[in-house]
Amino acid sequence: MLEHLPRWLGALLHDVRAGASKLTIVDPALGDFAALNLASTAFADGARLPERFTADGTGVSPPLYWTGVPAGTETLALVVEDPDAPAAQPLVHAIVWGMPPSTDQLREGAIQADGDGALDGSDVGRNSYLREGWLPPDPPSGHGEHRYVFQLFALGPGEDLDPTPGRGAVVHAMAGRVLAAGLLTATYSRDEPADIGPVGSAVPSPT
């Protein structure tokens, strides 16, 4: 939807951004936690997101993998946000809730509408457009580079959620039970120069 904004309006809104201080991972309600390793075989941390994962391509979700999930983890949750969206809050691009602690990756295209969830109890939540699944990045032309922040949380025991949870319900359910978290950032911009950065073979594959 944002790709349809005229370039002059995107440029006018260049400095209107939600801000990284509003990302889920820095919410004080989550408390203190250890770090885990989150990465992708499609892009390096801080590099440009390949076009196929955006609204300019096929719009599938990127592959992710992780290591370092601590003992005592009951479930895993993923939240993907754009803190550079011209809005009061970061734009939510994906939520995956209730992944078993033995899960160590999400394959390309895995984040899609799943109704009442998977057989393992995990569920894809609602993005900022109130739809299940991956919301492909579509920053406005002229607005500059946007960051897409993938945040993975290892959670201790606590309450479960109804199917297709939204961001508010997820943050509330994670409060005080985050054991570890990982962060991976991709960037994307439209109709302006961008540093492609290392991709493909430059990124280590999951073991």
Side-chain angles (χ1 to χ4, degrees):
M1 300 177 81
L2 293 178
E3 73 268 27
H4 300 305
L5 286 180
R7 183 178 178 82
W8 65 265
L9 183 54
L12 185 66
L13 296 172
H14 187 277
D15 295 327
V16 179
R17 296 170 185 258
S21 65
K22 297 180 181 178
L23 288 169
T24 295
I25 200 167
V26 297
D27 192 310
L30 302 187
D32 297 325
F33 44 80
L36 55 79
N37 303 308
L38 176 62
S40 175
T41 54
F43 60 92
D45 187 33
R48 183 173 171 86
L49 190 67
E51 190 173 283
R52 71 180 181 275
F53 305 121
T54 76
D56 295 325
T58 55
V60 296
S61 61
L64 302 170
Y65 69 94
W66 51 87
T67 59
V69 174
T73 298
E74 182 178 88
T75 188
L76 299 168
L78 177 76
V79 179
V80 187
E81 296 174 296
D82 171 10
D84 297 308
Q89 297 292 331
L91 197 69
V92 177
H93 284 265
I95 290 173
V96 183
W97 174 264
M99 291 181 285
S102 58
T103 307
D104 61 5
Q105 65 179 306
L106 285 172
R107 299 188 183 277
E108 182 171 319
I111 306 176
Q112 52 184 297
D114 65 356
D116 288 334
L119 294 177
D120 63 9
S122 63
D123 198 18
V124 174
R126 297 191 306 275
N127 57 46
S128 281
Y129 288 178
L130 302 181
R131 301 170 185 161
E132 285 186 81
W134 170 248
L135 177 62
D138 63 342
S141 296
H143 196 253
E145 188 174 77
H146 281 218
R147 294 163 292 173
Y148 298 91
V149 185
F150 297 77
Q151 304 154 87
L152 181 73
F153 302 92
L155 307 175
E159 65 179 288
D160 202 357
L161 289 174
D162 293 332
T164 65
R167 181 188 185 278
V170 166
V171 172
H172 177 76
M174 293 197 301
R177 58 184 289 207
V178 178
L179 304 179
L183 188 72
L184 175 67
T185 302
T187 65
Y188 194 70
S189 56
R190 181 178 276 121
D191 297 337
E192 50 197 285
D195 180 11
I196 299 300
V199 295
S201 60
V203 183
S205 298
T207 56

